[in-house]
Amino acid sequence: MEYRTSTTNIKVRSYHIDSYQHVNNMRYMEFLEEARWTHFEGNKTLETVAKSGVGFVIANYNIDYLYPASMDQTLEIKTSLAKMGKKSVVFKQEIFIKENQKQALSANVTLVSFDIKTQLPAEITEEMRAEIIK
């Protein structure tokens, strides 16, 4: 099954840069998070999850850094659902540098559903699944 892909653009600013004049690796994780939030804004996932009394936490980042991004470049982040399990989802995220069309990184990010009250993993409900795949 092919899932929806969303695109988020982020301009690289001076505070994103490390001493080597490249985007700092930790900033990339912030960019990926921003893009996932934007992706969820394309449907009612956040509302449905909140109503269900669950949340999602990051269980794993798997990132391949491919090409350095620099100041004043625009990063285009593509986000799509790659896999959904009983209690987790995996998002495929790629960052491209718009100015030269080079791929800066490729990532798979695993999120686990958890019950906010018990702080234990929780199954993803059918209602949540229906929204996530939209």
Side-chain angles (χ1 to χ4, degrees):
M1 173 180 236
E2 190 168 319
Y3 299 106
R4 171 179 67 91
T5 298
S6 62
T7 301
T8 304
N9 291 307
I10 295 178
K11 178 89 169 185
V12 177
R13 307 292 181 192
S14 63
Y15 58 91
H16 298 139
I17 302 298
D18 62 20
S19 61
Y20 301 112
Q21 302 305 302
H22 300 140
V23 172
N24 181 279
N25 63 317
M26 295 304 292
R27 291 296 184 163
Y28 280 116
M29 288 196 287
E30 291 174 5
F31 298 161
L32 294 173
E33 183 171 18
E34 177 65 28
R36 285 191 309 277
W37 277 90
T38 300
H39 184 80
F40 283 139
E41 289 171 347
N43 57 33
K44 294 182 180 177
T45 298
L46 297 176
E47 294 169 33
T48 304
V49 168
K51 192 170 59 174
S52 301
V54 300
F56 281 102
V57 294
I58 294 172
N60 180 268
Y61 268 110
N62 185 341
I63 300 174
D64 291 318
Y65 297 96
L66 304 170
Y67 191 86
S70 302
M71 184 136 129
D72 293 328
Q73 291 179 321
T74 300
L75 304 180
E76 182 177 73
I77 307 166
K78 296 187 179 291
T79 302
S80 62
L81 180 65
K83 178 181 168 186
M84 189 170 348
K86 289 184 178 184
K87 298 179 182 180
S88 66
V89 293
V90 178
F91 283 93
K92 172 73 172 172
Q93 294 187 276
E94 298 174 301
I95 299 181
F96 296 89
I97 301 167
K98 281 186 108 170
E99 287 76 7
N100 62 18
Q101 295 302 301
K102 300 243 185 216
Q103 187 171 358
L105 71 76
S106 177
N108 286 307
V109 182
T110 304
L111 305 175
V112 173
S113 173
F114 76 103
D115 183 295
I116 294 171
K117 289 180 183 172
T118 66
Q119 296 290 296
L120 296 172
E123 287 202 20
I124 299 170
T125 67
E126 288 304 316
E127 184 181 13
M128 288 166 50
R129 286 178 188 283
E131 284 304 321
I132 291 169
I133 65 171
K134 283 185 184 176

